[in-house]
Amino acid sequence: MAEKEIALPVMGMTCANCALTIERSLGKAEGVTQARVNLASEKAIVTYDPGLVRGEVLVSSIRDAGYDVATAKVELPITGMTCSNCVRNVERALKKVDGVLSVNVNLATERATVEYVPSLAGLDALKQAVADAGYGVIELEGEMRAEDVEAQAREEEIRRQRRLLIVGLVFTIPTFLLSMGTDLGFLPDFALRKYILLALATPVQFYVGWQFYRGTWKSLKQRTAGMDTLIAMGSSAAYFYSVAATFLTGGHVYYETAAMIITLIVLGKYLEAKAKGRTSESIKRLMGLRARTARVIRNGEEVDLPVEEVQVGDVVIVRPGEKIPVDGVVVEGRSAIDESMITGESLPVGKEIGDEVIGASINKTGSFRFQASKVGKDTVLAQIIRLVEEAPGSKAPVQRLADKVAGFFVPAVISVAFLTFGGWFFLGGVGLERALINMVAVLVIACPCALGLATPTAVMVGTGRGAERGILIKSGESLERAGTLDTVVLDKTGTITRGEPEVTDVLAANALDEDEVLRLAASAERGSEHPLGEAIVGAAQLRGLALEKVKEFEALAGKGIQASLNGQRILLGNRGLMSGYGIDLSHVEDAVDRLQREGKTTVLLALDNRVEGILAVADTVKEGSKEAVERLQEMGLEVVMISGDNERTAQAIADQVGIDRVLAEVMPEHKAQEVKKLQDQGCVVAMVGDGINDAPALAQADIGIAIGTGTDVAIEVGDIVLMRGDLRSVPEAILLSRKTMGTIKGNLFWAFAYNTAGIPIAAAGILVPWMAAAAMASSSIFVVSNSLRLRGVKLTQ
């Protein structure tokens, strides 16, 4: 084969030694005749023999050297798939394309997710591979959105199956009545009866049932067999035996059996197609949230534009009742925003200048202007849709068993069918007719579809339900692991607590009242950038206290501040500051000790060397944190709090929310080590944090749960992302995972149990073929319908 030269874009190179390392690694691959690495262009130019080495081997050689290759990922909407065997056919065809690194085909979403090297494989080559395998790829037309074209194709498939079903019923019902009426003695037999049955059954066999013949041909081209093969074999056996009986042998005919098999299976496919459409309703609802237009200021004028034309930096105007088109920051005005469709938060959220707003949320009251910060695929909504779409495309580990079984299922069923025929014909002595009917029953009762749909339909509905509650589950694997957790580690700051210090107590120690103590303290701290000072000033402003300007302000490092106001010296700080000035603390010692035992930072206010008041500042517990911890414990999970605070402060917060186990004085860089210690003890650990300073711990945990609010959420961090800053989302996410895994296991149990019981019953001659076909059709419908029950699962108490 002629040699081929390609340029692979390499990432991670920093020096000439990197290039040399890559060249050596590529040179070891069989079939590579030359490898040159250009550091300036960051490309590896490789000459190789495609007959000896494939592109993915070259990529592996670069990765083995410690570097990576720039790849692309595309989702192809596939048409024509009917069972798990079709999934394997499409995957096998795409993997044969040189440069394809990974393929994941999902039967429920009917999509193929392909990772490939663009310099080796193109989109046209991928589409051609799918077409060569006998399937189709939905193409975009004009300016139609991808999801609109896809929805149109799905609707067309439902209409097609409905049309075939109607035709099938029109011909099958009279076929059944004429055949069974004569067999049961209700109608007299007559000479043309068999020819009439033939005329009625033939359109069903070759028009309604043509899709099964076409599917069989696709499978044969890939040297496999699928559900279509079983239906085509079973119905054809009954039909052609009846044709032979009509024209040659004069025996009993089974036209009604062939017609009913096909019509009942088409009925099942029609109902299944409708149900599968409902599994993606959450994604459709999310897509429907997007605004279509935006009112933008361009050249000093208000202009209505399609939302796709909004650019970062544009100033957008939003009036009451309108959708916010993109993400941004308020620059003028204020309002209350309904963010429930994004975060699951039911109450409107107040927004003013400097606050962030999320695209697709709804403006409730005032008008305001905001500057666009994220548009297009970078908006929070776009990222949520992408995650919800991708999650069903990743296979949960539990699905691997189903995939393995499906790999040999159809050949095994065909073998059992032939054994059934041989057993009844040669050993049972029942004759050709009865042996054939029993064989047909075995062929049509087997249902590989149920195995293929068991996991992806549940994952799709479960992740969609989570998205409605602001819970983004990134993959089927994350979903499965979350259901096995036994330990939840909660970061304190920003997760259990608000992450912002607040004044919790103001105590008057002498003649001044509480408001005056707070007013004087805030006046002294006015203009301070210290978090404690900002908390004191903020508390005074909330009470509407008038602050004064102090003189001779001085910050005393590690102790506090001093200043002068109206001729009096103000000291504001800790015990060390007061002791340094010889101020008597005996009358406030008990109060200070009590507040510090509660985990609060105490600030003492002294006027002219006399303590006049005490202020306590603390990072307060979020609303719902205690409830969330209680619910996690009720679910049988051990809850651990991790914090960089000292033991006393950390324990005080833990006591407030009911956590018994505390890991205190743990620096951010050491949190991952503490998670690892828990895992070494045999715990399956979830780490819950804001994804900012605890990213290593989130990565180390079996499940990393990133919690935040609105656009602040680091969607890239964590296996599960919670769009609300409410800790109560954590038990909801774990409960959703458990419910979804329960549904998946129920689906798989049904699929295995159905086939395990149904095939022997059919082989024993207990079921006639049309009953077997009805059972087969109902099996897939049951699996999809069972998954749909997740849409109504209750996640809150």
Side-chain angles (χ1 to χ4, degrees):
M1 187 177 289
E3 288 189 338
K4 185 177 179 181
E5 183 177 276
I6 60 162
L8 297 173
V10 181
M11 299 185 293
M13 293 191 297
T14 57
C15 61
N17 186 60
C18 301
L20 184 60
T21 303
I22 293 170
E23 287 175 355
R24 287 174 178 169
S25 182
L26 284 167
K28 294 177 183 178
E30 183 184 0
V32 173
T33 55
Q34 187 180 36
R36 309 185 313 277
V37 177
N38 188 315
L39 187 59
S41 64
E42 296 183 299
K43 288 186 177 180
I45 294 87
V46 187
T47 305
Y48 68 104
D49 183 347
L52 296 175
V53 62
R54 287 174 56 85
E56 51 265 36
V57 176
L58 304 180
V59 173
S60 297
S61 296
I62 294 173
R63 289 176 171 173
D64 290 343
Y67 303 90
D68 206 353
V69 175
T71 62
K73 185 175 282 190
V74 66
E75 280 195 350
L76 302 175
I78 308 295
T79 59
M81 295 192 298
T82 57
C83 66
S84 53
N85 182 69
C86 298
V87 169
R88 290 197 308 279
N89 288 345
V90 175
E91 286 183 346
R92 188 181 294 116
L94 286 168
K95 285 177 180 177
K96 288 180 181 178
V97 178
D98 193 21
V100 170
L101 303 180
S102 66
V103 180
N104 198 336
V105 178
N106 189 295
L107 181 60
T109 60
E110 297 180 273
R111 289 188 176 201
T113 304
V114 186
E115 184 185 10
Y116 64 101
V117 181
S119 55
L120 286 169
L123 193 56
D124 289 339
L126 301 179
K127 292 179 180 178
Q128 188 60 49
V130 174
D132 290 343
Y135 303 89
V137 177
I138 297 175
E139 300 280 357
L140 293 181
E141 298 178 4
E143 298 183 356
M144 291 187 71
R145 296 184 179 214
E147 61 269 18
D148 294 336
V149 176
E150 201 170 329
Q152 192 178 78
R154 307 298 178 222
E155 286 299 319
E156 176 56 34
E157 174 63 15
I158 292 174
R159 286 195 296 271
R160 188 176 74 89
Q161 294 297 342
R162 181 169 60 238
R163 184 171 63 250
L164 292 174
L165 175 62
I166 291 171
V167 173
L169 290 172
V170 166
F171 287 98
T172 299
I173 291 174
T175 303
F176 178 79
L177 294 175
L178 180 57
S179 178
M180 297 305 294
T182 304
D183 290 345
L184 297 175
F186 297 120
L187 296 173
D189 196 3
F190 53 94
L192 294 177
R193 185 176 70 90
K194 292 180 181 179
Y195 298 101
I196 294 173
L197 290 173
L198 171 63
L200 290 170
T202 299
V204 179
Q205 189 70 33
F206 297 108
Y207 174 70
V208 180
W210 185 249
Q211 58 184 317
F212 304 117
Y213 288 108
R214 189 172 61 245
T216 300
W217 174 243
K218 293 177 188 177
S219 296
L220 290 175
K221 287 200 297 183
Q222 298 295 319
R223 297 181 181 179
T224 60
M227 183 203 76
D228 290 333
T229 309
L230 300 178
I231 303 306
M233 286 181 65
S235 62
S236 295
Y239 177 83
F240 287 111
Y241 174 84
S242 299
V243 171
T246 301
F247 294 102
L248 300 175
T249 65
H252 191 80
V253 293
Y254 292 93
Y255 289 116
E256 85 288 350
T257 297
M260 289 193 69
I261 288 172
I262 289 174
T263 302
L264 286 170
I265 298 302
V266 170
L267 171 62
K269 287 174 71 70
Y270 169 65
L271 295 175
E272 180 186 317
K274 291 193 68 174
K276 280 164 66 178
R278 288 161 57 201
T279 63
S280 59
E281 281 186 2
S282 295
I283 296 176
K284 293 174 186 174
R285 278 198 293 269
L286 286 170
M287 289 178 172
L289 294 176
R290 292 181 297 196
R292 297 287 181 174
T293 61
R295 188 173 294 107
V296 179
I297 296 178
R298 292 275 175 91
N299 300 321
E301 296 183 358
E302 295 183 13
V303 182
D304 286 335
L305 298 174
V307 71
E308 292 83 4
E309 295 182 18
V310 178
Q311 301 173 5
V312 173
D314 278 342
V315 175
V316 184
I317 301 171
V318 185
R319 296 193 173 98
E322 293 181 343
K323 281 186 180 179
I324 298 171
V326 296
D327 299 351
V329 178
V330 178
V331 295
E332 181 183 317
R334 62 175 61 191
S335 185
I337 308 296
D338 179 5
E339 298 179 344
S340 60
M341 65 292 297
I342 303 293
T343 66
E345 177 61 59
S346 57
L347 297 176
V349 181
K351 301 287 183 180
E352 55 188 29
I353 294 174
D355 289 339
E356 293 180 320
V357 291
I358 307 173
S361 52
I362 298 175
N363 182 27
K364 301 294 286 186
T365 53
S367 296
F368 66 93
R369 299 184 178 193
F370 73 93
Q371 188 172 48
S373 60
K374 293 179 182 177
V375 299
K377 62 182 177 58
D378 296 323
T379 63
V380 170
L381 178 63
Q383 294 182 70
I384 291 173
I385 292 172
R386 176 175 57 80
L387 286 179
V388 176
E389 285 181 329
E390 289 180 354
S394 58
K395 293 183 180 179
V398 71
Q399 191 175 349
R400 292 170 192 157
L401 174 62
D403 288 344
K404 288 179 181 178
V405 172
F408 60 81
F409 181 82
V410 174
V413 170
I414 294 174
S415 299
V416 171
F418 282 120
L419 287 173
T420 300
F421 176 84
W424 282 100
F425 185 75
F426 294 108
L427 302 178
V430 297
L432 176 64
E433 188 176 299
R434 178 68 186 280
L436 185 69
I437 290 300
N438 291 343
M439 180 188 79
V440 171
V442 171
L443 288 170
V444 298
I445 199 170
C447 186
C449 286
L451 290 172
L453 292 168
T455 300
T457 52
V459 171
M460 176 182 284
V461 179
T463 53
R465 176 73 176 110
E468 293 173 358
R469 296 288 302 164
I471 301 167
L472 307 183
I473 301 172
K474 288 191 174 181
S475 67
E477 187 175 357
S478 301
L479 189 71
E480 181 171 344
R481 282 208 312 270
T484 64
L485 294 170
D486 55 36
T487 305
V488 177
V489 178
L490 304 176
D491 186 41
K492 180 186 80 72
T493 306
T495 302
I496 297 176
T497 64
R498 298 182 184 278
E500 299 174 357
E502 295 181 2
V503 174
T504 58
D505 302 86
V506 179
L507 304 178
N510 278 309
L512 302 181
D513 61 20
E514 292 181 2
D515 281 355
E516 185 64 12
V517 169
L518 180 58
R519 190 185 74 81
L520 291 173
S523 297
E525 289 282 11
R526 191 177 185 181
S528 170
E529 294 182 357
H530 192 281
L532 294 183
E534 290 178 347
I536 292 171
V537 173
Q541 290 173 339
L542 283 175
R543 295 193 186 190
L545 303 178
L547 306 185
E548 297 183 64
K549 187 175 181 179
V550 298
K551 300 177 181 179
E552 301 174 11
F553 176 88
E554 181 182 2
L556 305 170
K559 293 184 178 180
I561 62 169
Q562 68 172 351
S564 174
L565 179 63
N566 299 329
Q568 291 181 299
R569 185 176 66 180
I570 299 177
L571 293 174
L572 190 68
N574 56 24
R575 282 174 167 173
L577 176 63
M578 301 300 152
S579 299
Y581 282 88
I583 298 176
D584 178 30
L585 300 176
S586 58
H587 63 298
V588 295
E589 287 282 8
D590 290 343
V592 171
D593 287 342
R594 176 180 60 80
L595 292 170
Q596 289 185 341
R597 283 195 300 272
E598 294 173 0
K600 300 173 182 177
T601 299
T602 54
V603 180
L604 300 168
L605 172 72
L607 289 179
D608 293 334
N609 291 344
R610 180 178 176 83
V611 175
E612 294 290 346
I614 308 168
L615 297 95
V617 181
D619 184 7
T620 56
V621 172
K622 286 181 183 177
E623 180 185 357
S625 291
K626 181 178 175 62
E627 181 186 339
V629 170
E630 289 175 350
R631 194 170 180 205
L632 288 169
Q633 291 169 339
E634 290 171 0
M635 293 167 65
L637 296 160
E638 181 183 11
V639 183
V640 180
M641 189 183 84
I642 192 167
S643 173
D645 290 341
N646 62 64
E647 185 74 36
R648 184 166 63 177
T649 301
Q651 189 61 56
I653 295 294
D655 290 341
Q656 289 183 49
V657 295
I659 296 176
D660 298 323
R661 188 172 180 181
V662 178
L663 303 174
E665 299 180 27
V666 180
M667 299 301 290
E669 61 269 23
H670 296 148
K671 289 178 181 178
Q673 297 175 13
E674 295 296 329
V675 171
K676 180 69 165 58
K677 289 179 183 176
L678 291 170
Q679 291 172 321
D680 291 341
Q681 297 169 16
C683 300
V684 182
V685 182
M687 173 70 195
V688 185
D690 57 18
I692 299 172
N693 62 5
D694 42 24
L698 291 174
Q700 174 63 48
D702 296 284
I703 287 291
I705 302 178
I707 187 169
T709 53
T711 58
D712 294 332
V713 180
I715 288 183
E716 297 80 11
V717 180
D719 303 295
I720 296 175
V721 180
L722 307 179
M723 297 299 294
R724 288 185 290 164
D726 192 332
L727 200 59
R728 284 172 290 197
S729 294
V730 175
E732 286 185 22
I734 296 173
L735 179 61
L736 177 63
S737 297
R738 290 181 175 180
K739 293 283 189 182
T740 305
M741 283 310 302
T743 299
I744 290 173
K745 290 175 181 177
N747 286 347
L748 288 173
F749 173 80
W750 164 258
F752 282 121
Y754 163 81
N755 284 292
T756 302
I759 293 173
I761 291 173
I766 299 173
L767 287 178
V768 293
W770 71 266
M771 291 181 179
M776 186 270 203
S778 66
S779 180
S780 293
I781 298 169
F782 171 84
V783 166
V784 176
S785 301
N786 190 46
S787 296
L788 285 171
R789 293 193 306 115
L790 285 168
R791 293 192 305 170
V793 67
K794 185 179 179 183
L795 300 177
T796 56
Q797 285 185 324

